[in-house]
Amino acid sequence: MGVERWTGRETRLLRLAGRKTVRNFAAEIGVSDRMVSKWERGGANVTPRQGNQAALDTFLALAGHEVQERFAALLTKQAAASQDSRTEKLLASDPFQYRRHPVDGKLMVLVEEGMSLSGEALEAVWLPAFYVDVFPTTNADYARFVSTTGHRAPKP
């Protein structure tokens, strides 16, 4: 899991996912608590410097699986609630490429039909067009899908 460009909005979601106070979060990524507060206040309009973005990447990479799941869920919830202007730009850019799922509101992108190499022998298989979620699907999302549809979960 990674973030292409951190803003104050993603920084806040990461802190919340880690269940950290501003002071503890700032100490762990190596900046002042005033800096974290400034990022969060600025929201999507504030982009931390490259070194700080790297520190945020490292924090996320080293966070436990539960923190990463909560972060993905918060990002997904935010995008589904249309609070992310970047999501709305994607929807406006090409209405045939992006759409929202009619049930959960998640942003999806069209994967065009075409050939795919499949299996150990890499046999060519034709796949029809389909939509896939843009943002990560959490284990909790998948569990809801399995429970709602009765679809069998794969064997571990």
Side-chain angles (χ1 to χ4, degrees):
M1 165 183 289
V3 174
E4 186 175 319
R5 182 179 63 92
W6 289 94
T7 68
R9 183 180 296 152
E10 289 84 16
T11 302
R12 179 176 180 275
L13 294 178
L14 181 59
R15 180 180 65 78
L16 294 174
R19 296 182 175 155
K20 303 281 183 186
T21 64
V22 170
R23 179 170 291 171
N24 292 343
F25 181 69
E28 287 196 37
I29 61 172
V31 298
S32 72
D33 53 340
R34 288 177 34 180
M35 182 67 71
V36 171
S37 295
K38 178 182 170 186
W39 293 342
E40 290 186 10
R41 254 192 331 275
N45 298 321
V46 172
T47 303
R49 291 187 174 136
Q50 274 188 317
N52 294 331
Q53 293 221 10
L56 292 165
D57 287 338
T58 300
F59 181 90
L60 178 58
L62 296 176
H65 183 70
E66 289 179 8
V67 172
Q68 293 172 349
E69 280 283 318
R70 282 194 298 269
F71 180 65
L74 288 169
L75 278 176
T76 301
K77 183 177 179 181
Q78 173 185 294
S82 299
Q83 295 173 352
D84 190 338
S85 62
R86 292 172 292 177
T87 300
E88 295 310 312
K89 285 179 189 172
L90 286 174
L91 284 169
S93 65
D94 187 349
F96 299 106
Q97 293 291 327
Y98 296 94
R99 70 172 47 155
R100 290 201 176 279
H101 191 278
V103 176
D104 63 16
K106 287 186 174 185
L107 184 65
M108 301 182 303
V109 64
L110 177 66
V111 177
E112 298 287 344
E113 64 182 318
M115 298 297 284
S116 175
L117 300 178
S118 178
E120 287 184 28
L122 297 178
E123 295 178 37
V125 177
W126 184 264
L127 293 177
F130 61 93
Y131 283 89
V132 64
D133 286 350
V134 171
F135 297 101
T137 298
T138 64
N139 288 340
D141 291 335
Y142 187 69
R144 269 193 304 279
F145 162 76
V146 169
S147 137
T148 302
T149 63
H151 190 82
R152 283 190 311 136
K155 295 179 183 176

